[in-house]
Every structure is written in structure tokens, then in C-alpha cells.
Amino acid sequence: MIATRYALPYAVYHSPLPVMSLGLDVFVTLSFSSEISAKGMEAKGIENAESLIAAFFHLTGSGALSGATIAPWDSTASSVDFVGGPASNATWKVSNIRADERSIPILAQLFLITHSDFPITKIMIRGGLGERTLVALPATDKDLGIYPTVFTKLASRVGISPDLSADVIVVAHFASDPTIAQKEAIRLKIEDWIAASAIGCYPAPPHRPDFCSLEYDGTLDFFQAELQIGFRNFYCHREALYGLCNSLFAVKDNAPEVMRIVIM
């Protein structure tokens, strides 16, 4: 079941599943309230929303949203483009997206940040602009299994402590010592996940997405084939760490294979 833990103040509809995992184009349309339909305010609302869609795009590109069945190195999107819209509607096209369907609530919840200053009445996530058969995104009280999980075929390589604090340490063991160029490829994947998480892509109810964040000092510590990363004030949903694991696995073609990830 694809659902949100939030009582969203706007309606959310999406095309019948699957829609995000097919490697096709997806159109995201926001309907703003008449309060910001005036020129200037509407432009600022669109700018605000576009920055959030860009964060979601980079999170997808990191491999974090691959979920159980899509290989992280195959999970991506090729571009995001504003395609306009009539009146107070604004539409973006996310091209060739291949992500777990549980990325739908991540995207829908993210616009709570926009809504606080530029009220939204409806969001549509569609496989085509002419799609008329839409499904309402339901709410759930379930707190686990709401965000994309670790890629099943590699999940046995991941160990996450059940007693995480606000200071999180991640240790990844590679099959061999990465080269300088490979370390840079690893850094880019991880920092895309970090930036999206810090913005609020993995909120933990009842907190707003922009409350949920983490602190990172910009340092990746490599000790031969071992990588250590530390995060302070980790206030994201625990399942954000599934995305980090997928991002690490996603460097498969540009770095040595990740053999083990331990998060404590």
C-alpha cells in the first residue's frame, strides 16, 4: 500500500500503479489556491516548489529510491523540466524516472514546505498529461514500510542498530580500496542523499518536513577499503537510512562493490 503518514492539507492524486517505476516520464502538477494567483506571488510559489522537485530529482539520481525490486544502479531520472500550466496550475516533467512507488508520498509530503507560504489545493502525479483515471493517496497510521526499503538482493549486507541516537555513524566496507576518482563518485551519490534528507524528503511525523534534518561536516573518512561517515542531529525518519544504503550500493559501476554496511 502506498500511503502517507500525514494528514495533508491538500488533495493528492496519482495515476494507477505502477507509475514511478516504469522508466517513463511522470508529470507533477500543483494547483495553487486563488490567494497566490496574482503575478509575482505565484512566481515565488512556483520557484519554491521547483527547488523541492529538484531535490527529489537528485535523490532519485542517487539511487536512494530504488526500493526492494529495482537495482539501485538502475534507479534514476534523466531530467526535470518546468512545462508551465494554465491559471494557478504549475506542471513539471520528470523524465525517464525509475523509482519505487513509495517515492510518491515522499514527493507529496515535501510540498508541505511550499504550502506553508503558498497554499496548495491539489497535487497530481501522472504518467501522462492526459491521464484522467487517478487514485487518491490515502493516509495511514502505520509507521514502518512507508518509504522505499533496501534493495532486497543486497539487504543481507546491511545492519542497522535498533537503538539509533541523534548521532549516527555509518561504516561501509568495500571489496577493495577505492581510487581517488571512485571516492569522488561515492561522495556525489552520498551528498545527493544528504542534501535531500536535510531538506525534508524523509520526514518523521508529527514533525513538518522542514523540521526533519541532519548535520554533516562534509568529511568522508576512508581507511583503505572502509568508509566512515558521521551525522549529528539526525532528525529524519529511520527509513531514510535505507535510502543511504541504496545510494552506496548504486556506485557499483564506478567503485568497488559494497560488501557490508553497518549503521549505529
Coordinates of all heavy atoms in Angstrom, one line a residue, residues 149-209:
T149 N 12.5 0.7 0.7 CA 13.3 -0.1 1.6 C 14.7 -0.3 0.8 O 14.9 0.1 -0.3 CB 12.6 -1.4 2.0 OG1 13.4 -2.0 2.9 CG2 12.4 -2.3 0.8
V150 N 15.5 -1.1 1.5 CA 16.8 -1.5 0.9 C 16.5 -2.6 -0.2 O 15.7 -3.4 -0.1 CB 17.7 -2.1 1.9 CG1 19.1 -2.6 1.3 CG2 18.0 -1.1 3.1
F151 N 17.3 -2.5 -1.3 CA 17.2 -3.4 -2.4 C 17.4 -4.9 -1.8 O 18.3 -5.2 -1.2 CB 18.4 -3.2 -3.4 CG 18.4 -4.0 -4.6 CD1 17.3 -4.3 -5.3 CD2 19.6 -4.6 -5.0 CE1 17.3 -5.1 -6.4 CE2 19.7 -5.4 -6.1 CZ 18.5 -5.7 -6.9
T152 N 16.3 -5.7 -2.1 CA 16.2 -7.0 -1.4 C 17.4 -7.9 -1.6 O 17.9 -8.5 -0.7 CB 14.9 -7.7 -1.9 OG1 13.8 -6.9 -1.6 CG2 14.8 -9.1 -1.3
K153 N 18.0 -7.9 -2.8 CA 19.1 -8.8 -3.1 C 20.3 -8.5 -2.3 O 21.3 -9.3 -2.2 CB 19.4 -8.8 -4.6 CG 18.2 -9.5 -5.4 CD 18.6 -9.5 -6.9 CE 17.5 -10.2 -7.7 NZ 17.8 -10.2 -9.1
L154 N 20.4 -7.2 -1.8 CA 21.6 -6.8 -1.0 C 21.3 -6.5 0.4 O 22.2 -6.1 1.2 CB 22.2 -5.6 -1.7 CG 22.8 -5.8 -3.1 CD1 23.3 -4.5 -3.7 CD2 23.8 -6.9 -3.2
A155 N 20.0 -6.7 0.8 CA 19.6 -6.3 2.2 C 20.4 -7.1 3.3 O 20.6 -6.6 4.4 CB 18.1 -6.5 2.3
S156 N 20.8 -8.3 3.0 CA 21.5 -9.1 4.0 C 22.9 -8.5 4.3 O 23.5 -8.8 5.3 CB 21.7 -10.5 3.5 OG 22.5 -10.5 2.3
R157 N 23.4 -7.5 3.5 CA 24.7 -6.9 3.7 C 24.5 -5.7 4.6 O 25.5 -5.0 4.9 CB 25.3 -6.5 2.4 CG 25.5 -7.6 1.4 CD 26.3 -7.1 0.2 NE 26.4 -8.1 -0.8 CZ 27.1 -8.1 -1.9 NH1 27.8 -6.9 -2.2 NH2 27.1 -9.0 -2.8
V158 N 23.3 -5.4 5.1 CA 23.0 -4.2 5.8 C 22.7 -4.5 7.3 O 21.8 -5.4 7.5 CB 21.9 -3.3 5.2 CG1 21.5 -2.2 6.1 CG2 22.3 -2.9 3.8
G159 N 23.3 -3.8 8.2 CA 23.0 -4.0 9.6 C 22.7 -2.6 10.2 O 23.6 -1.8 10.2
I160 N 21.5 -2.3 10.7 CA 21.1 -1.1 11.3 C 20.7 -1.3 12.7 O 19.9 -2.1 13.0 CB 20.0 -0.4 10.5 CG1 20.3 -0.2 9.1 CG2 19.6 1.0 11.2 CD1 19.2 0.4 8.2
S161 N 21.4 -0.6 13.7 CA 21.1 -0.8 15.1 C 19.6 -0.4 15.4 O 19.1 0.6 14.8 CB 22.0 0.1 15.9 OG 21.6 0.1 17.3
P162 N 19.0 -1.2 16.2 CA 17.6 -0.8 16.6 C 17.5 0.4 17.6 O 16.5 0.9 17.8 CB 17.1 -2.1 17.3 CG 18.3 -2.8 17.8 CD 19.4 -2.5 16.8
D163 N 18.7 0.8 18.1 CA 18.7 1.8 19.1 C 19.6 3.0 18.6 O 20.6 3.4 19.2 CB 19.3 1.3 20.4 CG 18.5 0.1 21.0 OD1 17.3 0.2 21.0 OD2 19.1 -0.9 21.3
L164 N 19.1 3.6 17.5 CA 19.9 4.8 17.0 C 19.6 6.0 17.8 O 18.5 6.2 18.3 CB 19.4 5.0 15.6 CG 19.8 4.0 14.5 CD1 19.1 4.3 13.2 CD2 21.3 3.8 14.4
S165 N 20.7 6.8 18.0 CA 20.5 8.1 18.7 C 20.5 9.2 17.6 O 20.4 9.0 16.4 CB 21.7 8.3 19.6 OG 22.9 8.5 18.9
A166 N 20.6 10.4 18.1 CA 20.6 11.6 17.1 C 21.9 11.7 16.5 O 22.1 12.5 15.5 CB 20.2 12.9 17.9
D167 N 22.9 11.0 16.9 CA 24.3 11.0 16.3 C 24.5 9.6 15.7 O 24.5 8.6 16.4 CB 25.4 11.3 17.3 CG 25.2 12.7 17.9 OD1 24.9 13.6 17.2 OD2 25.4 12.8 19.1
V168 N 24.6 9.6 14.4 CA 24.6 8.3 13.6 C 25.9 8.1 13.0 O 26.5 9.0 12.4 CB 23.5 8.3 12.6 CG1 23.6 7.0 11.7 CG2 22.1 8.4 13.2
I169 N 26.5 6.9 13.1 CA 27.7 6.5 12.4 C 27.4 5.5 11.4 O 26.8 4.5 11.7 CB 28.8 6.0 13.5 CG1 29.1 7.1 14.4 CG2 30.0 5.5 12.7 CD1 30.0 6.7 15.6
V170 N 27.9 5.7 10.2 CA 27.8 4.7 9.1 C 29.2 4.2 8.7 O 30.1 5.0 8.5 CB 27.1 5.4 7.9 CG1 26.9 4.4 6.7 CG2 25.8 6.0 8.3
V171 N 29.3 2.9 8.6 CA 30.6 2.3 8.2 C 30.3 1.4 7.0 O 29.4 0.5 7.1 CB 31.2 1.4 9.4 CG1 32.5 0.8 8.9 CG2 31.4 2.3 10.6
A172 N 30.9 1.6 5.9 CA 30.7 0.8 4.7 C 32.0 0.1 4.3 O 33.1 0.8 4.3 CB 30.3 1.7 3.5
H173 N 32.0 -1.2 4.1 CA 33.1 -1.9 3.7 C 33.1 -2.3 2.2 O 32.1 -2.9 1.8 CB 33.2 -3.2 4.5 CG 33.2 -3.0 6.0 ND1 34.4 -2.8 6.7 CD2 32.3 -2.9 6.9 CE1 34.2 -2.6 8.0 NE2 32.9 -2.7 8.2
F174 N 34.1 -1.9 1.5 CA 34.2 -2.1 0.1 C 35.0 -3.4 -0.2 O 35.8 -3.8 0.6 CB 34.8 -0.9 -0.7 CG 33.9 0.3 -0.6 CD1 33.9 1.2 0.4 CD2 33.0 0.5 -1.7 CE1 33.0 2.3 0.5 CE2 32.1 1.7 -1.7 CZ 32.2 2.5 -0.6
A175 N 34.9 -3.9 -1.4 CA 35.7 -5.1 -1.8 C 37.1 -4.8 -1.9 O 38.0 -5.7 -1.8 CB 35.1 -5.7 -3.1
S176 N 37.5 -3.5 -2.2 CA 38.9 -3.1 -2.3 C 38.9 -1.6 -2.0 O 37.9 -0.9 -1.9 CB 39.4 -3.4 -3.7 OG 38.7 -2.8 -4.7
D177 N 40.1 -1.1 -2.0 CA 40.4 0.3 -1.7 C 40.0 1.2 -2.9 O 40.6 1.0 -3.9 CB 41.8 0.5 -1.3 CG 42.1 1.9 -0.8 OD1 41.2 2.7 -0.7 OD2 43.3 2.2 -0.6
P178 N 39.0 2.1 -2.8 CA 38.6 2.9 -3.9 C 39.7 3.9 -4.3 O 40.5 4.3 -3.5 CB 37.4 3.7 -3.4 CG 36.9 2.9 -2.2 CD 38.1 2.3 -1.6
T179 N 39.8 4.1 -5.6 CA 40.7 5.1 -6.1 C 40.2 6.5 -5.8 O 39.1 6.7 -5.3 CB 40.9 5.0 -7.6 OG1 39.6 5.3 -8.2 CG2 41.3 3.6 -8.0
I180 N 41.0 7.5 -6.0 CA 40.6 8.9 -5.8 C 39.3 9.2 -6.6 O 38.3 9.8 -6.1 CB 41.7 9.9 -6.1 CG1 42.8 9.7 -5.1 CG2 41.2 11.3 -6.1 CD1 44.1 10.6 -5.4
A181 N 39.3 8.8 -7.9 CA 38.1 9.1 -8.7 C 36.9 8.4 -8.2 O 35.8 8.9 -8.2 CB 38.5 8.7 -10.1
Q182 N 37.1 7.1 -7.7 CA 36.0 6.4 -7.2 C 35.5 6.9 -5.9 O 34.2 6.9 -5.7 CB 36.4 4.9 -7.0 CG 36.6 4.2 -8.3 CD 37.3 2.8 -8.2 OE1 38.0 2.6 -7.2 NE2 37.1 2.0 -9.1
K183 N 36.3 7.5 -5.1 CA 35.9 8.1 -3.9 C 35.0 9.3 -4.2 O 34.1 9.6 -3.5 CB 37.1 8.5 -3.0 CG 37.8 7.4 -2.4 CD 39.1 7.8 -1.6 CE 39.8 6.7 -1.1 NZ 41.1 7.1 -0.4
E184 N 35.4 10.0 -5.2 CA 34.6 11.2 -5.7 C 33.2 10.8 -6.1 O 32.2 11.4 -5.8 CB 35.3 12.0 -6.8 CG 34.5 13.1 -7.3 CD 34.3 14.3 -6.3 OE1 34.9 14.2 -5.2 OE2 33.6 15.2 -6.7
A185 N 33.1 9.6 -6.8 CA 31.8 9.1 -7.3 C 31.0 8.7 -6.1 O 29.7 9.0 -6.1 CB 32.0 7.9 -8.2
I186 N 31.6 8.1 -5.1 CA 30.9 7.7 -3.9 C 30.4 9.0 -3.2 O 29.2 9.0 -2.7 CB 31.8 6.9 -2.9 CG1 32.2 5.6 -3.6 CG2 31.2 6.7 -1.6 CD1 33.3 4.9 -2.9
R187 N 31.2 10.0 -3.1 CA 30.8 11.3 -2.4 C 29.6 11.9 -3.1 O 28.7 12.4 -2.4 CB 32.0 12.2 -2.4 CG 31.7 13.5 -1.6 CD 32.8 14.5 -1.8 NE 32.9 15.0 -3.2 CZ 32.2 15.9 -3.7 NH1 31.2 16.5 -3.0 NH2 32.3 16.3 -5.0
L188 N 29.6 11.9 -4.4 CA 28.5 12.6 -5.1 C 27.2 11.9 -4.8 O 26.1 12.5 -4.6 CB 28.8 12.6 -6.6 CG 29.9 13.5 -7.1 CD1 30.2 13.3 -8.5 CD2 29.6 15.0 -6.7
K189 N 27.2 10.5 -4.8 CA 25.9 9.8 -4.5 C 25.5 10.1 -3.1 O 24.3 10.4 -2.9 CB 26.2 8.3 -4.6 CG 26.4 7.8 -6.1 CD 25.1 7.8 -6.9 CE 25.3 7.2 -8.2 NZ 24.1 7.2 -9.0
I190 N 26.4 10.0 -2.1 CA 26.0 10.2 -0.7 C 25.5 11.6 -0.5 O 24.5 11.8 0.2 CB 27.2 9.9 0.2 CG1 27.6 8.4 0.1 CG2 27.0 10.3 1.6 CD1 28.8 8.0 0.8
E191 N 26.2 12.6 -1.1 CA 25.8 14.0 -0.8 C 24.5 14.4 -1.5 O 23.8 15.3 -1.0 CB 26.9 14.9 -1.2 CG 28.1 14.8 -0.3 CD 29.2 15.8 -0.4 OE1 29.1 16.6 -1.4 OE2 30.1 15.9 0.5
D192 N 24.1 13.7 -2.5 CA 22.8 13.9 -3.1 C 21.7 13.4 -2.1 O 20.7 14.1 -1.9 CB 22.6 13.2 -4.4 CG 23.1 14.0 -5.6 OD1 23.3 15.2 -5.4 OD2 23.2 13.4 -6.7
W193 N 22.0 12.3 -1.5 CA 21.1 11.7 -0.4 C 21.1 12.7 0.8 O 20.0 13.0 1.3 CB 21.5 10.3 0.0 CG 20.7 9.8 1.2 CD1 19.5 9.2 1.2 CD2 21.1 9.9 2.6 NE1 19.1 8.9 2.4 CE2 20.1 9.3 3.3 CE3 22.2 10.5 3.2 CZ2 20.1 9.3 4.7 CZ3 22.2 10.4 4.6 CH2 21.2 9.8 5.3
I194 N 22.2 13.2 1.2 CA 22.3 14.0 2.4 C 21.5 15.3 2.1 O 20.7 15.8 3.0 CB 23.8 14.4 2.7 CG1 24.5 13.2 3.2 CG2 23.9 15.5 3.7 CD1 26.0 13.4 3.3
A195 N 21.7 16.0 1.0 CA 21.0 17.2 0.7 C 19.5 17.1 0.7 O 18.8 17.9 1.3 CB 21.5 17.8 -0.7
A196 N 19.0 16.0 0.1 CA 17.6 15.8 0.0 C 17.0 15.4 1.4 O 15.9 15.9 1.8 CB 17.3 14.6 -1.0
S197 N 17.8 14.7 2.2 CA 17.3 14.3 3.5 C 17.3 15.6 4.4 O 16.4 15.7 5.2 CB 18.3 13.3 4.1 OG 18.3 12.1 3.4
A198 N 18.3 16.4 4.3 CA 18.4 17.6 5.1 C 17.2 18.6 4.7 O 16.8 19.4 5.6 CB 19.7 18.3 4.9
I199 N 16.8 18.6 3.5 CA 15.7 19.5 3.1 C 14.3 19.0 3.7 O 13.4 19.7 4.0 CB 15.6 19.6 1.6 CG1 16.7 20.5 1.1 CG2 14.3 20.1 1.1 CD1 16.9 20.5 -0.4
G200 N 14.2 17.6 3.8 CA 12.9 17.1 4.4 C 12.3 16.0 3.6 O 11.1 15.8 3.7
C201 N 13.1 15.2 2.8 CA 12.5 14.2 2.0 C 12.1 13.0 2.8 O 11.3 12.1 2.3 CB 13.5 13.8 0.9 SG 13.5 14.9 -0.5
Y202 N 12.6 12.8 4.0 CA 12.2 11.7 4.9 C 11.7 12.2 6.2 O 12.3 11.9 7.2 CB 13.4 10.8 5.1 CG 13.9 10.1 3.9 CD1 15.1 10.6 3.2 CD2 13.4 8.9 3.4 CE1 15.6 9.9 2.1 CE2 13.9 8.2 2.3 CZ 15.0 8.7 1.7 OH 15.5 8.1 0.6
P203 N 10.6 12.9 6.2 CA 10.1 13.4 7.5 C 9.5 12.3 8.4 O 9.1 11.3 8.0 CB 9.0 14.4 7.0 CG 8.5 13.8 5.8 CD 9.7 13.2 5.1
A204 N 9.6 12.6 9.7 CA 9.1 11.7 10.7 C 7.9 12.4 11.4 O 8.1 13.4 12.1 CB 10.2 11.3 11.7
P205 N 6.7 11.9 11.2 CA 5.5 12.5 11.8 C 5.7 12.5 13.3 O 6.3 11.6 13.9 CB 4.4 11.6 11.4 CG 4.9 10.9 10.1 CD 6.4 10.8 10.3
P206 N 5.2 13.5 14.0 CA 4.3 14.6 13.5 C 5.0 15.8 13.0 O 4.4 16.9 12.7 CB 3.5 14.9 14.7 CG 4.4 14.8 15.9 CD 5.3 13.6 15.5
H207 N 6.4 15.8 12.9 CA 7.1 16.9 12.5 C 7.0 17.3 11.0 O 6.9 16.4 10.2 CB 8.6 16.7 12.9 CG 8.9 16.4 14.3 ND1 8.6 17.3 15.3 CD2 9.3 15.3 14.9 CE1 8.9 16.8 16.5 NE2 9.3 15.6 16.3
R208 N 7.0 18.5 10.7 CA 7.0 19.0 9.3 C 8.2 18.6 8.6 O 9.3 18.4 9.2 CB 6.9 20.5 9.3 CG 5.5 21.1 9.7 CD 5.7 22.6 9.9 NE 6.5 23.3 8.9 CZ 6.1 23.8 7.8 NH1 4.8 23.8 7.5 NH2 6.9 24.4 6.9
P209 N 8.2 18.4 7.3 CA 9.4 18.0 6.5 C 10.6 18.9 6.8 O 11.7 18.5 6.9 CB 8.9 18.1 5.1 CG 7.5 17.8 5.2 CD 7.0 18.4 6.4

